[in-house]
Amino acid sequence: MTGSTCWALTFLALPSAVAFSSPFHGNRALASSRTKPIISAHDPLVRIGHGYDIHRLDTMEVAGQPLVVGGVRFDGSTAPAYELGCVAHSDGDVIYHSVVDAILGALSMPDIGQLFPDNDPRLKGSDSEIFMEEAYKRMIERGYAIGNCDVTLILQKPKVNIEHSGKQVKGIMSDNLARLLRTSAGQVNVKARTHEKLDSVGEGRAVECHVVLTLEKVQ
């Protein structure tokens, strides 16, 4: 299949939702000009969404890619290099994936696994910003904007409350979210904590994330 081939995922209609298509061109998700959301007369003024994601960590040889969290790469570029990578079909960004699922959940839409299946070879190693862009597009098509977004990142290592090249790593994550959600820094918060050396996360074999957000009706 060539890069010029467009691919559409078609979904069953849900209450207060419609069947959407998510065409791809290369490695970017493109909005369909023919797809118009049906706005329910009973859409609430505020919706609440929760998202969760977890990914396994392993050696770079096994993972084949570095750890990426909130758009920050732990390979020495935007954050200090870390010895373990993220085992995932895409780049495995747990913050972005959790935010996407929280938005889709708030809108009663199909989850991230249905939109971007992990058995599609074209998504191998994908930058999770494409998932964020698709979630944002669906949110504004339904007439909503971010009220606030609260992120809880849970990992034993690497540390994220640190500076790299003169910038706070956790601050870069917050800035990335605000940029992709087209909102202000004051409406996004990224918290980070360890798992007190308990289970796979506490043993440094995985990283996980919870997100709670609100969507406010703007039209």
Side-chain angles (χ1 to χ4, degrees), residues 175-195:
D175 290 344
N176 286 340
L177 287 175
R179 170 177 56 85
L180 291 167
L181 296 173
R182 279 76 160 178
T183 191
S184 67
Q187 291 170 279
V188 175
N189 186 41
V190 176
K191 309 184 302 293
R193 56 158 297 159
T194 70
H195 213 250

Side-chain angles (χ1 to χ4, degrees), residues 127-179:
D127 185 336
S128 292
E129 280 201 12
I130 68 172
F131 310 154
M132 290 283 288
E133 293 288 354
E134 180 67 15
Y136 176 80
K137 175 179 74 72
R138 291 171 181 245
M139 176 181 69
I140 61 172
E141 285 177 343
R142 286 287 297 277
Y144 285 91
I146 291 292
N148 76 299
C149 177
D150 188 28
V151 176
T152 302
L153 175 65
I154 310 170
L155 72 174
Q156 200 68 30
K157 293 180 180 179
K159 299 296 184 183
V160 298
N161 291 313
I162 57 173
E163 280 193 6
H164 180 72
S165 298
K167 295 183 179 180
Q168 287 284 340
V169 170
K170 198 169 67 170
I172 299 173
M173 297 176 183
S174 295
D175 290 344
N176 286 340
L177 287 175
R179 170 177 56 85

Side-chain angles (χ1 to χ4, degrees), residues 85-135:
C86 182
V87 179
H89 188 63
S90 65
D91 63 9
D93 192 320
V94 293
I95 289 184
Y96 285 1
H97 294 183
S98 298
V99 171
V100 169
D101 251 356
I103 292 174
L104 296 175
L107 296 172
S108 301
M109 290 184 175
D111 62 43
I112 189 172
Q114 292 174 269
L115 286 177
F116 303 101
D118 63 6
N119 57 2
D120 189 316
R122 288 165 293 182
L123 296 177
K124 181 66 175 175
S126 293
D127 185 336
S128 292
E129 280 201 12
I130 68 172
F131 310 154
M132 290 283 288
E133 293 288 354
E134 180 67 15

Side-chain angles (χ1 to χ4, degrees), residues 68-91:
V68 180
V69 182
V72 173
R73 297 175 63 86
F74 286 83
D75 60 358
S77 56
T78 47
Y82 187 53
E83 60 186 0
L84 301 182
C86 182
V87 179
H89 188 63
S90 65
D91 63 9

